[in-house]
Amino acid sequence: MEPKIKIEHLGKNFFSRRQTIKALDDVNMEFAPGEFVSIVGPSGCGKSTIIRMIDDLIKPTSGTITIDGFTYDNKKEIPQSFIKKLGFVFQLPNLYPWLTVRQNLYLPLKVYGMMDSEHVHHVEDLLEMTNLTEVGNIYPNQISGGTAQRIGVIRGMVHKPEMLMMDEPFGALDDETREKLNMEMLNIWKQTGMTIIFITHNVSEAVLMSQRVYVMQANPGHVKAEVKIEFDEERSLELQHTKKFINYCNQIEELIGKVDLNDVV
């Protein structure tokens, strides 16, 4: 099976007046259709930079990215038709306070020229799927932080993307809310069949959610290891108490290295 997304020899340098900072060097990754993959690693290893380059928000210095057979790099832009295949969920929901929740969800559809009945109905399906229909007509300052983040997540899916980039979307939430959203996200993934790339600093979250985990190192950012996650049971919060789950977490934490995991972003 051909990968949905393929990254080959990807590198990224950032320049200042005094120095060149090599953020990423020779990064190679593949993501299969319908796969849920997490990327973890220490601060500064370039995890967020990778998904921003996939989404063509920033350009690589070297290497290529291929989506559905179309290859682009620092000289070739990704066409709008391929951009529409991608969804992006940021660390903060960034909802416009003067718009209702539903109006915030319509914004990407307006940008892409997709305000048709099919996609408007899809917004309602997403609200229902996440039990948020009742907040559709209220404003962001009237909802909790956890609810706002859920809105930010489904906003990345209103145009029916085939691939979803998620940049540590639940990092600012308390453990209970985070775990609830993890299970909601798994349910959405199962129902939609999207390819999901999930950035997280939380090793347990990566193991719970993912089929594979890429572990990165910094200075410069590169892939240190790839860990395949396999469970016989359905993914659930109870898995976190099993020996196999704990072993996966220990393996990934050892690969990351002896750092404060609160600083792994």
Side-chain angles (χ1 to χ4, degrees):
M1 181 184 295
E2 287 295 314
K4 192 74 172 172
I5 304 172
K6 188 173 184 179
I7 295 170
E8 296 180 280
H9 309 296
L10 203 65
K12 180 62 182 177
N13 295 339
F14 291 102
F15 303 95
S16 69
R17 287 197 289 179
R18 295 188 176 183
Q19 63 178 334
T20 298
I21 300 171
K22 183 172 281 191
L24 291 168
D25 181 52
D26 197 29
V27 173
N28 296 276
M29 295 177 171
E30 290 188 4
F31 306 90
E35 191 176 26
F36 198 124
V37 181
S38 287
I39 305 175
V40 301
S43 179
C45 71
K47 302 183 299 299
S48 296
T49 301
I50 288 172
I51 59 174
R52 280 165 171 76
M53 286 193 287
I54 292 173
D55 212 28
D56 209 27
L57 296 174
I58 60 176
K59 290 290 187 183
T61 303
S62 59
T64 60
I65 302 166
T66 302
I67 294 179
D68 281 346
F70 178 84
T71 300
Y72 54 104
D73 53 22
N74 58 2
K75 296 179 181 178
K76 189 174 185 180
E77 293 188 358
I78 183 171
Q80 185 74 3
S81 59
F82 280 83
I83 287 287
K84 288 181 179 179
K85 294 186 177 190
L86 303 170
F88 205 105
V89 180
F90 296 94
Q91 293 179 10
L92 297 174
N94 298 318
L95 302 177
Y96 290 104
W98 58 88
L99 299 177
T100 66
V101 165
R102 188 172 275 104
Q103 289 169 337
N104 270 282
L105 293 175
Y106 287 160
L107 281 178
L109 299 181
K110 293 180 178 179
V111 170
Y112 287 128
M114 301 170 73
M115 276 294 293
D116 52 70
S117 59
E118 176 187 345
H119 288 90
V120 169
H121 184 71
H122 183 56
V123 169
E124 298 307 315
D125 288 342
L126 289 170
L127 286 168
E128 184 177 353
M129 192 184 302
T130 50
N131 298 311
L132 292 172
T133 301
E134 62 184 24
V135 305
N137 291 324
I138 66 177
Y139 292 88
N141 64 356
Q142 299 173 287
I143 60 179
S144 68
T147 299
Q149 196 60 42
R150 289 156 77 192
I151 297 299
V153 169
I154 64 174
R155 184 179 55 192
M157 299 185 286
V158 294
H159 61 293
K160 298 186 177 181
E162 298 175 24
M163 295 152 275
L164 189 65
M165 318 289 128
M166 304 187 72
D167 190 4
E168 200 184 344
F170 309 139
L173 303 176
D174 62 85
D175 289 343
E176 183 178 352
T177 304
R178 184 179 195 140
E179 288 181 343
K180 181 179 180 181
L181 294 189
N182 285 342
M183 300 314 298
E184 280 189 7
M185 195 63 234
L186 282 173
N187 183 51
I188 290 171
W189 170 59
K190 290 174 184 176
Q191 292 191 46
T192 62
M194 287 185 295
T195 300
I196 296 180
I197 304 177
F198 192 85
I199 305 296
T200 180
H201 75 272
N202 188 302
V203 172
S204 294
E205 183 174 60
V207 173
L208 178 66
M209 306 274 280
S210 311
Q211 295 172 300
R212 287 187 299 122
V213 176
Y214 281 110
V215 182
M216 296 188 66
Q217 277 194 325
N219 303 316
H222 63 279
V223 176
K224 183 176 183 180
E226 174 189 338
V227 179
K228 192 171 184 179
I229 308 294
E230 296 179 318
F231 292 107
D232 296 328
E233 308 94 320
E234 278 286 318
R235 303 295 175 108
S236 68
L237 295 177
E238 287 69 35
L239 266 182
Q240 297 176 97
H241 306 294
T242 65
K243 183 177 180 181
K244 192 171 187 179
F245 186 97
I246 294 168
N247 286 341
Y248 276 132
C249 291
N250 290 338
Q251 178 186 359
I252 292 171
E253 288 171 6
E254 287 175 7
L255 285 166
I256 292 172
K258 294 182 179 179
V259 295
D260 184 352
L261 292 181
N262 290 321
D263 294 330
V264 180
V265 296

